[in-house]
Amino acid sequence: MTHAAFPDLRLRRTRRTGWSRAMVRETQLSPANLIWPLFVCPGSGSEEPIASLPGVSRWSVDQIVLRAKDAVAAGIPCLALFPYTEPDRRSPDGAEALNPDNLMCRAVAAIKDALGDDIGVLTDVALDPYTSHGQDGLIDDAGYVLNDETVAVLVGQALNQARAGADIIAPSDMMDGRIGAIRQALEAEGFGHIQIMSYAAKYASAFYGPFRDAVGSRGLLKGDKKTYQMDPANAEEALREVAQDLTEGADSVMVKPGLPYLDIVAAVKANFAVPVYAYQVSGEYAMIEAAAAAGAGDRDALVLETLLAFRRAGASGVLSYHALHAARLLTA
């Protein structure tokens, strides 16, 4: 690159006024870049605040529909749904995932009945909200998560959600080969139009704790998830995971968690010409809320700056519990 030298070049010139900063701004953030994760609970007219996620609640199906309408009004294009499964509906084999009348399916159907294509619905495919042991798949007698046997159940779960009206199937389980198996099943069942957003680079992170409270799996997990979720030390492996999932038919990919893995977001964006999403996970949300509550930073500024960082790193969009608040800030 060729540049003039100071004082002919003064980089502060374009920062002098707001209009000039806006004119040369390299990265844009809008509500269209946001996906809002929501937690579904049993009942009617119900809101259940989640203590470890201040400001986030579980909502019954009728209330989820109202949240979906809020999202449409704010310009958010897509919701991501996660169920709170009561203990008596959990089992070692996660059979509730295949129930066509489970919370996830009822919520999907209710949103699509109310709003149609005014908003997209992304559904999580993994067994941890449904298993009594808290793992994302089936386990053997030693507690090891079985890959191929789990994939067979995930295929059934994905088809169950597709029949309910899901727009995007999002496998978060990190089993090998599940994207190809789900894609083939969707095509065979006449759901070729349904997208797959793969959690392609999902790390075995310490930032997931509040999420496990939200879906009711904290305290149930036996062992850890390090045999299938990625080692936080690995970056090149993430590119291999992404490549495999794209080869198998994923339409977009996700990196999870978010801010601690912006290097992975940037590397995936640089190496693959596909939409890349990042999940600003529950622990990240909780840290921002705690910092704001302690007076360590302005909440609105922290929210918008972190979301902008995802976009700057190359993310097409961000799953964030701050999505509705951020969307309203951006359009105020």
Side-chain angles (χ1 to χ4, degrees):
M1 293 187 293
T2 301
H3 293 297
F6 178 86
D8 294 331
L9 175 65
R10 291 181 182 268
L11 290 171
R12 290 182 57 190
R13 285 190 192 116
T14 57
R15 303 175 198 152
R16 183 177 177 85
T17 59
W19 65 261
S20 181
R21 292 191 296 273
M23 192 168 69
V24 300
R25 188 163 293 139
E26 299 172 24
T27 305
Q28 305 297 324
L29 175 67
S30 81
N33 303 125
L34 302 174
I35 296 175
W36 189 17
L38 291 170
F39 298 103
V40 192
C41 67
S44 177
S46 299
E47 177 185 0
E48 300 176 356
I50 302 164
S52 57
L53 282 173
V56 177
S57 296
R58 306 183 194 100
W59 303 93
S60 54
V61 169
D62 57 314
Q63 297 299 304
I64 284 285
V65 172
L66 298 181
R67 304 291 79 73
K69 291 179 179 179
D70 289 340
V72 171
I76 296 171
C78 188
L79 303 175
L81 300 184
F82 301 90
Y84 172 81
T85 306
E86 295 172 304
D88 63 351
R89 290 186 175 271
R90 288 176 172 268
S91 60
D93 61 359
E96 181 67 8
L98 305 179
N99 177 4
D101 194 43
N102 65 25
L103 271 175
M104 179 76 89
C105 291
R106 295 205 309 273
V108 171
I111 292 169
K112 299 311 288 186
D113 285 347
L115 293 167
D117 287 335
D118 287 346
I119 196 163
V121 178
L122 178 154
T123 52
D124 175 66
V125 172
L127 297 185
D128 56 319
Y130 306 100
T131 56
S132 52
H133 46 72
Q135 294 286 0
D136 290 37
L138 308 180
I139 60 174
D140 63 15
D141 292 341
Y144 184 77
V145 175
L146 301 167
N147 192 92
D148 297 6
E149 295 86 345
T150 295
V151 168
V153 182
L154 298 176
V155 168
Q157 183 183 13
L159 290 173
N160 194 33
Q161 295 171 356
R163 294 178 187 122
D167 298 295
I168 305 174
I169 299 296
S172 65
D173 56 284
M174 289 299 287
M175 299 299 118
D176 289 336
R178 90 275 203 212
I179 301 301
I182 291 171
R183 173 56 73 202
Q184 291 175 18
L186 290 173
E187 292 289 337
E189 292 284 330
F191 295 117
H193 60 285
I194 292 179
Q195 299 177 42
I196 296 177
M197 181 188 293
S198 168
Y199 286 64
K202 181 179 179 180
Y203 286 83
S205 171
F207 285 89
Y208 300 148
F211 176 90
R212 291 171 183 162
D213 291 334
V215 299
S217 64
R218 189 191 285 271
L220 297 178
L221 181 62
K222 295 177 174 61
D224 56 44
K225 302 189 178 186
K226 294 179 181 179
T227 67
Y228 50 99
Q229 294 179 357
M230 286 185 56
D231 185 338
N234 293 357
E236 292 178 358
E237 184 183 16
L239 301 183
R240 296 174 65 195
E241 288 279 6
V242 169
Q244 179 173 337
D245 288 359
L246 292 174
T247 299
E248 292 180 10
D251 300 286
S252 57
V253 295
M254 189 193 303
V255 175
K256 182 180 179 181
L259 284 179
Y261 296 87
L262 288 185
D263 60 319
I264 308 301
V265 174
V268 172
K269 182 66 174 180
N271 282 274
F272 302 96
V274 296
V276 180
Y277 291 82
Y279 200 140
Q280 187 178 38
V281 299
S282 58
E284 298 174 66
Y285 171 92
M287 287 196 305
I288 290 174
E289 292 298 311
D298 177 79
R299 180 172 181 257
D300 293 353
L302 290 169
V303 167
L304 293 180
E305 184 176 339
T306 53
L307 291 173
L308 189 65
F310 288 110
R311 291 282 291 144
R312 191 183 66 246
S316 302
V318 186
L319 287 79
S320 174
Y321 303 102
H322 282 123
L324 184 64
H325 180 62
R328 288 171 171 168
L329 290 175
L330 290 166
T331 54

